[in-house]
Amino acid sequence: MTVTPETATSPAADPASVTATARRLLTELPGPRSRELEAERRRHVTNAFGITMPVFIEHAQGSLLVDVDGNHLIDFASGIAVTSVGAANPKVAKRAAAQLERFTHTCFMVTEYASFVDVCRWLNEHTPGDFEKRTALFTTGSEAVENAIKVARAATRRPNILVFDEAYHGRTQLTMAMTAKENPYRLNFGPLPGSVFRGPTAPAHTSPDGPGEALGRIEALLAQNGPETFAAMVIEPIQGEGGFIVQAPGFLTGLREIATRHGIVLVIDEIQTGLGRTGKLFASEHEGIAGDITLTAKALGAGLPLSAATGRAELMNAVHPGGLGGTYAGNPVACEAALAVFELLEEGALLDNAGRIETAVRGRLEPLMALDGVADVRGRGAMMAIEFRDSSGPRGDLAAAAAKAANAHGVLTLTCGTNGNVIRLLPPLVIEADVLDEGLAVLEASIRSVLS
Ligand code: PLZ
């Protein structure tokens, strides 16, 4: 069934009343077996990992997660924007399995393999920017960010980095300093690396006058600290963890212009937005900009750890031989998974699906903006969010309660935002229309139940 606002079912304010079709709820969530395993976890695993939903997954298919109690959950998280092609895509599994038979690892710095080169070629050809490029592969998103900074510093021989309000770039020492939010990401982990400056942004939903003021303040920050001391500015084209923030038109092109004028390397962090998530291969394309370096991870390996920094050849080659690398950088099994992802993206349907997901989400959630407590519905493609705020300010409590209600009824949703007041939707791009509609009906009812 194609979901349109007209076919969406009438408002329910009880998530339990939505008929479970794609979902299958055999027990309460978490079920007894998950609770047993959770007790084991508490005995053996650090408490330092926060868990959205203490349910243990046994297997998964497309947009459904099957837990150890036999419950089927609708996945609106994709493992934080990773399993865009589905949780167990057969093409990914086939290529990765064949590679596991051939060899698991050589270390690309020791002896080489062609799939590493093939992934780099594809990224060079498909990332924004009509210039000669080179790519370096790594393992995690944070590592891609770290290495982009190494490249920018080596190429410019400048120390400083400009990042932005609400930014998220990772959990390693440098990337947590680049990340905006103190708790939980940086708390007690200092001293943080220096040379990181933070500038303002111009969120579309709070900047009716456009990006002029923010861009002016960025110019002032650069002038005060010496633009010639800045190696890189790093920005997510749609900010992810910070609250699914789409910038006002002209902000990103303004940054592009400032970076070019001062010889600062513009690093676009497409780790969450890239590879089809927003309905284009890269979110930069919505803005008509190209980074000097574009970073990818997450969806790149469909769950196998793989990340990449793709940039201007003269930048990427400015580092001395041996200056970049890593034991697992560009692991061959992960490279095969990425080549499968590229084939799936080239078939075209995934990008169209992202657009359809946006239409369905808007159709279902935009009417909720009439309710007191819902402030905004925003995003692009399959990266959509609903923000909770009222005259008292951000309402993280409402977002948490609604997400918890949806989770308890078998729809896995995540929150985000500095104040935790945003529910974000990151379904796999392969989600079927009826599964999406059922998940959205549960989410809508969950929201209505906490607002009533
Ligand atoms: N840049 C834009 O979204 C990872 C973080 C989850 P890693 N986002 C999920 C958590 O709480 O740890 C992310 C991102 C952007 C960089 C990263 C970092 O990628 O693969 O988690 O290191």
Side-chain angles (χ1 to χ4, degrees), residues 25-329:
L25 300 177
L26 299 181
T27 69
E28 63 175 344
L29 291 171
R33 183 68 188 128
S34 274
R35 283 205 299 272
E36 273 171 30
L37 288 168
E38 181 62 11
E40 279 294 291
R41 167 204 134 90
R42 299 232 165 261
R43 274 192 284 278
H44 301 295
V45 182
T46 169
N47 281 336
F49 281 63
I51 310 289
T52 303
M53 196 178 176
V55 157
F56 284 73
I57 300 305
E58 204 269 324
H59 66 274
Q61 187 65 56
S63 56
L64 291 178
L65 304 172
V66 180
D67 77 7
V68 288
D69 292 292
N71 299 303
H72 293 200
L73 316 181
I74 295 177
D75 183 9
F76 277 1
S78 301
I80 321 189
V82 171
T83 53
S84 293
V85 298
N89 187 288
K91 285 195 173 170
V92 172
K94 196 165 167 223
R95 282 196 82 132
Q99 179 58 39
L100 281 170
E101 296 276 316
R102 287 195 294 274
F103 61 92
T104 53
H105 174 84
T106 65
C107 184
F108 193 73
M109 301 182 302
V110 178
T111 53
E112 300 170 288
Y113 37 92
S115 56
F116 188 115
V117 181
D118 293 340
V119 172
C120 293
R121 181 190 303 111
W122 194 93
L123 288 170
N124 292 344
E125 286 172 358
H126 290 85
T127 48
D130 188 15
F131 42 75
E132 177 90 7
K133 296 180 199 131
R134 295 289 185 275
T135 290
L137 300 182
F138 304 101
T139 310
T140 66
S142 306
E143 229 188 325
V145 177
E146 292 263 354
N147 279 283
I149 300 304
K150 284 166 73 171
V151 167
R153 283 179 170 161
T156 60
R157 305 293 161 110
R158 302 171 176 184
N160 291 334
I161 306 162
L162 178 63
V163 292
F164 295 90
D165 288 340
E166 322 296 344
Y168 184 91
H169 297 296
R171 288 179 182 268
T172 57
Q173 290 288 337
L174 178 62
T175 60
M176 77 178 166
M178 296 168 67
T179 289
K181 193 176 174 184
E182 178 72 11
N183 189 354
Y185 303 120
R186 312 191 309 202
L187 187 68
N188 301 331
F189 298 143
L192 300 175
S195 306
V196 178
F197 294 75
R198 192 172 306 284
T201 56
H205 61 291
T206 54
S207 308
D209 300 331
E213 191 201 327
L215 291 169
R217 284 167 58 201
I218 290 163
E219 284 282 21
L221 186 156
L222 291 173
Q224 181 162 303
N225 297 285
E228 67 282 4
T229 68
F230 282 82
M233 51 172 92
V234 188
I235 183 97
E236 301 151 82
I238 298 176
Q239 293 177 307
E241 306 302 305
F244 277 36
I245 300 168
V246 179
Q247 299 300 326
F251 179 72
L252 286 153
T253 42
L255 280 191
R256 174 67 278 180
E257 188 278 318
I258 292 171
T260 303
R261 186 152 36 79
H262 294 301
I264 300 170
V265 176
L266 181 64
V267 180
I268 306 281
D269 179 343
E270 293 253 17
I271 288 167
Q272 190 154 161
T273 52
L275 298 158
R277 174 57 49 191
T278 67
K280 294 195 184 281
L281 273 183
F282 296 95
S284 316
E285 294 170 43
H286 294 286
E287 311 286 342
I289 59 157
D292 300 307
I293 299 176
T294 297
L295 305 179
T296 48
K298 290 192 184 275
L300 178 60
L304 285 105
L306 186 67
S307 65
T310 302
R312 290 182 185 275
E314 62 274 23
L315 294 175
M316 298 301 294
N317 286 336
V319 178
H320 51 282
L324 302 182
T327 305
Y328 299 111

Side-chain angles (χ1 to χ4, degrees), residues 258-444:
I258 292 171
T260 303
R261 186 152 36 79
H262 294 301
I264 300 170
V265 176
L266 181 64
V267 180
I268 306 281
D269 179 343
E270 293 253 17
I271 288 167
Q272 190 154 161
T273 52
L275 298 158
R277 174 57 49 191
T278 67
K280 294 195 184 281
L281 273 183
F282 296 95
S284 316
E285 294 170 43
H286 294 286
E287 311 286 342
I289 59 157
D292 300 307
I293 299 176
T294 297
L295 305 179
T296 48
K298 290 192 184 275
L300 178 60
L304 285 105
L306 186 67
S307 65
T310 302
R312 290 182 185 275
E314 62 274 23
L315 294 175
M316 298 301 294
N317 286 336
V319 178
H320 51 282
L324 302 182
T327 305
Y328 299 111
N331 167 271
V333 183
C335 283
E336 289 294 332
L339 294 173
V341 168
F342 298 158
E343 282 172 22
L344 291 158
L345 283 169
E346 281 175 8
E347 287 169 10
L350 292 178
L351 297 184
D352 295 344
N353 286 359
R356 274 200 284 277
I357 290 168
E358 174 170 350
T359 306
V361 172
R362 286 191 184 280
R364 178 68 78 162
L365 298 186
E366 277 176 355
L368 301 183
M369 284 169 67
L371 304 175
D372 187 33
V374 176
D376 195 28
V377 172
R378 59 175 176 260
R380 281 197 169 116
M383 186 170 180
M384 298 295 297
I386 178 164
E387 177 175 341
F388 296 84
R389 177 187 295 275
D390 60 20
S391 52
S392 69
R395 292 292 304 270
D397 58 327
L398 295 177
K404 202 170 161 209
N407 291 346
H409 290 92
V411 178
L412 180 58
T413 50
L414 304 172
T415 55
C416 63
T418 299
N419 300 294
N421 63 324
V422 178
I423 292 180
R424 55 170 153 172
L425 305 183
L426 289 166
L429 302 181
V430 295
I431 193 168
E432 298 83 355
D434 53 347
V435 180
L436 176 64
D437 190 40
E438 183 179 334
L440 289 172
V442 171
L443 179 62
E444 177 186 352

